[in-house]
Amino acid sequence: NTVDNTGRDMALDFRIDAAMAGLETGDLDFAKRMVRAMPNPGHDKKDLARTLIVQARLAEAQGQPEDAKILYDQAEETGYPPVQAEARFRLADLKHRSGEMDDKGFAAELEKLRMAWRGGELELSVLRALANIRLRQGNIQAALELMRTVSLNFPHSDAAHVLAGRMSDVFANYFISGG
């Protein structure tokens, strides 16, 4: 039985990683095939959470936001911290993009997430989104501080390098040329 579970666990890990790669590269057909081929996650909270987040992201990528919202909620409810935080971020982002959540509500959720989760791509995404909102709100100092945090905390990230370049432009526009 342990051998069967180990094989199932490895197959699930492989399918989840492969589906995520398909989503990241825009190959939705491949991602769908990987999701369909995933073994049942069973009762393991981590496996269930990871399966739900992949299904939610696929639903979102396929233009099914209502299905994605339900799946993000379910992923958050698993209580598995890394996926729970990602689900909260993705759900808030989806609601914000659809107009269901305004900048103020989105910023409040991002601030909570910023305190609840540190590290990795999720923290980078949260900080970038929050910096963009602060710019739109005209809070240039807060936006620049967030951009600086991204640059310092993620020195090897391409996204952080892009943000650092944007930080220079924002600084020059607002403080040098009077924008």
Side-chain angles (χ1 to χ4, degrees), residues 64-97:
Q64 301 164 342
E66 296 309 312
D67 291 343
K69 288 176 191 174
I70 291 167
L71 291 162
Y72 285 136
D73 277 336
Q74 291 173 349
E76 183 180 352
E77 289 169 7
T78 64
Y80 179 62
V83 172
Q84 191 175 32
E86 181 181 357
R88 281 180 56 196
F89 171 72
R90 291 189 179 280
L91 180 60
D93 183 54
L94 180 58
K95 287 180 176 181
H96 182 250
R97 285 183 284 119

Side-chain angles (χ1 to χ4, degrees), residues 112-167:
K112 290 178 199 169
L113 277 167
R114 183 177 176 204
M115 297 302 130
W117 188 259
R118 297 270 192 224
E121 288 296 316
L122 180 60
E123 182 183 11
L124 177 61
S125 297
V126 167
L127 293 172
R128 285 175 45 203
L130 193 53
N132 286 332
I133 288 175
R134 296 301 182 226
L135 278 175
R136 279 197 304 278
Q137 293 173 331
N139 190 341
I140 306 309
Q141 182 176 351
L144 288 171
E145 287 171 6
L146 288 161
M147 291 175 175
R148 183 174 182 269
T149 299
V150 168
S151 295
L152 293 173
N153 291 357
F154 301 93
H156 304 295
S157 166
D158 290 340
H161 291 287
V162 169
L163 201 59
R166 187 167 177 220
M167 185 170 63

